[in-house]
Amino acid sequence: MTKVMTYRGHAKAIAVLGLPLIGGHLAQFAIGLTDTVMLGWYGVEALAAVTLAGSYFFVLFLLGAGFGWAVMPMVATAAAEEDETSIRRATRMGLWASLIFAVLVLPLLIWSQPILLALGQEPEVAALAAEYLRVAGWGMVPALLVMVLKSYLAALERTQIVFWSLVGAALINALVNYMLIFGNWGAPELGLVGAAVASVATQLVSLLVVVAYVLRSLPEHTLFQRFWRPDAEMFRRVLRLGLPIGLTNLAEVSLFAASAVMMGWLGKVPLAAHGIAIQLASATFMVHLGLSNAATIRAGTAFGRRDRAHLARGGLVAIGLSLLMSMVTIALFLGWGAPLVSLFMEPDDPDRPQILTIGVGLLAMAALFQLVDGAQVMALGLLRGVQDTTVPMVMAAVSYWLVGIPASYVLGFMLQWEGIGVWAGLSLGLACAGILLMTRFWRRSIRKVA
């Protein structure tokens, strides 16, 4: 008989697997945070522009990241079945799909200004955002390839290298940002373009480090030998699992991107405040995302072994850890809102009082959606582990596009609650997703595991 793992054992296993993933996500987040903080010091217009550009970039990035996330449960399940051939095939075709996607969307990043203007953004902010994206857009290729390789390594429970490579990347990004944005250490002062150059360089270094590690530590998988050879059957499997994940990502990130667009309609000061608040909310979300990734891997392993009891216990523990984190961040946002927002601004910035007032209000709203945001991402992680992605994609689209975005518009503009209303709409969309996806997993998807 198979020994049943206790809840404490599950908590320990998830912590060992999840903590490096959380650290890796926070390090990845720190790259964008560094851009936001340093450009906030550079000027309010630069901060507004990078907020807009970052939202635009990540809409496309998270759509393409679906192929990388698809690799994670596929490799975890294959590893549980001791099928090394499938590990190699799934990872290789994940790289193929990501590379093809990156090449297809690159023109949308290089020539983004007409799209930003069509979305109703201020011409000055749109021009600056497009200037940033013309350079930063080239980072899409290495960023998506790194995503696949990180998922492959995480599924094999090699999470330490994922963490340390991203920590190194964040440090490199901070140093190059400091040098090129402000013109320090004899470098030219490039402002926004300097931040974009730093981001691309960081992604390239990350890719080289991860590839070198794979070649050195996992030569038995021969990932890059005869890389050019197609594998139609596995490519279709990656697309079948990854495309719904990417579209689910798109549904969620478009909710937040739409909120950035709506805040842009209110002016550059509300948009700058939104950029600060969303960065802080995103930092806490990285913890939930790391736990969700750990849940995906653990669920994928249980799926490969056909162990439903193991899956159920692990799922409950992962959700409980996410709830605990939500409690901590709610207290932090409600009790320390003003000091947190102040970190992103110069003391003598003339717009500081107005940004501070708006930002503290938005953080209060962020505290409200911590629970539901954690719930929906944990449910998605568990569903991906058992390779259930198509119906969750529909649920996410309904929640974010038919509930969240319309609610943000109605509350923000028709009821004239402005920024608070826009963020209240975010909370409603996330709550709807959390309820639907949790119900899907516990009432239906878990039964797939015999």
Side-chain angles (χ1 to χ4, degrees):
M1 292 179 63
T2 302
K3 185 178 179 180
V4 176
M5 182 178 284
T6 64
Y7 288 111
R8 187 171 184 173
H10 276 288
K12 183 178 178 180
I14 291 171
V16 169
L17 185 60
L19 285 175
L21 292 173
I22 291 168
H25 283 304
L26 288 171
Q28 181 73 53
F29 164 78
I31 294 172
L33 179 64
T34 302
D35 290 352
T36 300
V37 171
M38 291 192 178
L39 288 170
W41 295 341
Y42 195 73
V44 173
E45 281 194 350
L47 175 59
V50 80
T51 299
L52 181 62
S55 297
Y56 183 92
F57 182 94
F58 279 104
V59 166
L60 298 173
F61 172 77
L62 288 179
L63 177 59
F67 305 117
W69 267 318
V71 167
M72 189 180 291
M74 293 176 75
V75 170
T77 299
E81 295 171 345
E82 299 182 355
D83 185 354
E84 291 199 356
T85 301
S86 291
I87 291 174
R88 177 175 61 252
R89 292 174 65 204
T91 307
R92 189 177 288 174
M93 288 303 100
L95 291 168
W96 266 53
S98 297
L99 184 60
I100 292 169
F101 176 86
V103 171
L104 290 175
V105 301
L106 193 55
L108 299 177
L109 292 159
I110 297 173
W111 294 287
S112 61
Q113 187 169 357
I115 299 172
L116 296 175
L117 290 173
L119 292 172
Q121 299 304 296
E122 294 180 0
E124 290 182 4
V125 175
L128 286 172
E131 185 180 3
Y132 175 87
L133 288 168
R134 270 194 292 273
V135 178
W138 292 95
M140 182 67 72
V141 176
L144 289 178
L145 296 180
V146 167
M147 186 61 146
V148 175
L149 294 174
K150 284 194 308 180
S151 295
Y152 156 75
L153 291 169
L156 297 174
E157 301 193 11
R158 291 175 177 259
T159 53
Q160 293 291 334
I161 179 59
V162 174
F163 170 68
W164 287 112
S165 65
L166 288 170
V167 168
L171 291 173
I172 292 170
N173 184 70
L175 292 173
V176 180
N177 261 334
Y178 182 73
M179 180 174 66
L180 294 180
I181 291 175
F182 303 102
N184 292 312
W185 304 328
E189 182 180 336
L190 299 178
L192 267 174
V193 174
V197 171
S199 294
V200 175
T202 300
Q203 298 292 1
L204 286 171
V205 170
S206 297
L207 179 60
L208 292 174
V209 169
V210 176
V211 168
Y213 177 85
V214 170
L215 291 173
R216 180 181 177 85
S217 300
L218 294 161
E220 65 273 18
H221 290 162
T222 59
L223 281 186
F224 305 107
Q225 288 185 18
R226 294 184 294 277
F227 181 78
W228 52 268
R229 291 182 62 180
D231 184 346
E233 190 272 334
M234 184 58 74
F235 189 76
R236 284 193 296 269
R237 285 181 58 189
V238 170
L239 287 182
R240 205 159 46 237
L241 188 61
L243 191 56
I245 294 176
L247 291 172
T248 303
N249 293 340
L250 176 63
E252 182 177 1
V253 77
S254 65
L255 173 65
F256 288 91
S259 71
V261 170
M262 292 182 201
M263 295 299 289
W265 295 343
L266 296 171
K268 69 179 182 182
V269 170
L271 180 58
H274 171 85
I276 294 171
I278 207 72
Q279 289 288 342
L280 291 167
S282 297
T284 62
F285 178 75
M286 293 301 109
V287 179
H288 299 294
L289 185 57
L291 290 172
S292 176
N293 292 156
T296 296
I297 296 165
R298 301 281 294 167
T301 301
F303 185 62
R305 295 173 180 169
R306 304 296 185 263
D307 190 343
R308 184 190 299 175
H310 187 80
L311 173 60
R313 282 173 171 259
L316 285 173
V317 171
I319 292 167
L321 292 173
S322 177
L323 286 172
L324 180 62
M325 180 60 197
S326 294
M327 295 296 101
V328 173
T329 54
I330 287 170
L332 184 65
F333 284 172
L334 292 179
W336 294 82
L340 288 171
V341 174
S342 298
L343 293 174
F344 292 79
M345 295 179 290
E346 290 282 8
D348 57 351
D349 192 321
D351 294 312
R352 178 187 173 92
Q354 194 175 358
I355 293 175
L356 188 61
T357 300
I358 298 171
V360 169
L362 296 182
L363 271 190
M365 294 303 303
L368 293 179
F369 71 58
Q370 286 297 302
L371 288 171
V372 292
D373 200 15
Q376 61 89 24
V377 76
M378 293 308 300
L380 282 172
L382 291 166
L383 288 163
R384 290 167 185 171
V386 296
Q387 301 187 23
D388 182 8
T389 60
T390 302
V391 173
M393 172 191 69
V394 176
M395 291 177 170
V398 169
S399 300
Y400 304 138
W401 291 344
L402 300 185
V403 177
I405 293 175
S408 289
Y409 181 79
V410 170
L411 296 173
F413 296 92
M414 296 180 70
L415 296 184
Q416 298 182 351
W417 292 4
E418 297 188 338
I420 297 295
V422 171
W423 278 55
L426 293 181
S427 300
L428 288 174
L430 292 168
C432 182
I435 293 169
L436 291 176
L437 294 168
M438 279 292 180
T439 302
R440 171 75 180 178
F441 177 74
W442 291 108
R443 294 291 299 274
R444 190 175 185 89
S445 299
I446 197 171
R447 296 177 184 174
K448 292 173 62 178
V449 183

